[in-house]
Every structure is written in C-alpha cells, then in structure tokens.
Amino acid sequence: MEELYSFTEKLTDWQERLLLKGIHKLDRQDLQELKKLQELASEYDMSFLGSLIEDLHVEGNRYLQEVKVDAELLTQQYLYVVQYVNMMKKPLTRST
C-alpha cells in the first residue's frame, strides 16, 4: 500500500512541476519521467491510468515534434490524468 502511495505522490509531483513551469514548456525530460510513471502504473496493474498516461505521453511527443504549435490536446490529456489522480486520492466514503 505504501508503494502505491509513493507512486501517486511521484505522479502528483510530476503534474505539479509541469503546471508550475507551464505546459507549453514541456520537454524531453518531462516525457522520460512520464514514461517511467506509465511503467509503474503497469506494474501496479493500473491499466486505465497507464493508458491515460500513455495518451499524455503520445500527445507530448506530438507537441514537441510539431514545434510546440498547439497545446490544446496536450492540455486535455494532462487534465485527464490530473482528474484521475485526484479521484484516486479521495477517501472512500460510505453513504448512510
């Protein structure tokens, strides 16, 4: 369980760093870190999260190859991952 928490924190740290520096400043190092996070998601059998991260990675590559022309799809994929991670962090509550 602690490993899963550590993974979630690594992913959150990555998201926050990218948000602080600006999505438009995405670089190859960001994508390398993201690839490692995708591999960790696979190790933890989190296939849906892994596919969201993979989509973000693909869009990040496309963004860099197109000389950073349009970040709309990149931003959309980034927000999907952020939303999913935020949902993971919410404690489960029972309805009474």
Side-chain angles (χ1 to χ4, degrees), residues 66-77:
E66 293 178 2
V67 193
K68 302 181 180 182
V69 175
D70 183 13
E72 184 178 339
L73 292 175
L74 175 64
T75 302
Q76 181 180 9
Q77 294 301 329

Side-chain angles (χ1 to χ4, degrees), residues 9-55:
E9 288 304 306
K10 286 178 186 177
L11 187 51
T12 300
D13 290 345
W14 183 89
Q15 293 171 343
E16 289 174 354
R17 275 194 317 275
L18 188 60
L19 184 62
L20 289 172
K21 83 176 190 177
I23 292 174
H24 294 306
K25 295 181 181 177
L26 179 84
D27 58 28
R28 291 281 170 210
Q29 183 179 351
D30 295 321
L31 292 180
Q32 289 173 350
E33 290 178 51
L34 191 60
K35 190 68 174 172
K36 290 176 186 174
L37 292 167
Q38 178 189 355
E39 291 168 0
L40 284 174
S42 295
E43 284 181 28
Y44 294 123
D45 200 25
M46 302 175 82
S47 58
F48 185 70
L49 177 57
S51 70
L52 289 175
I53 295 171
E54 180 180 13
D55 292 345

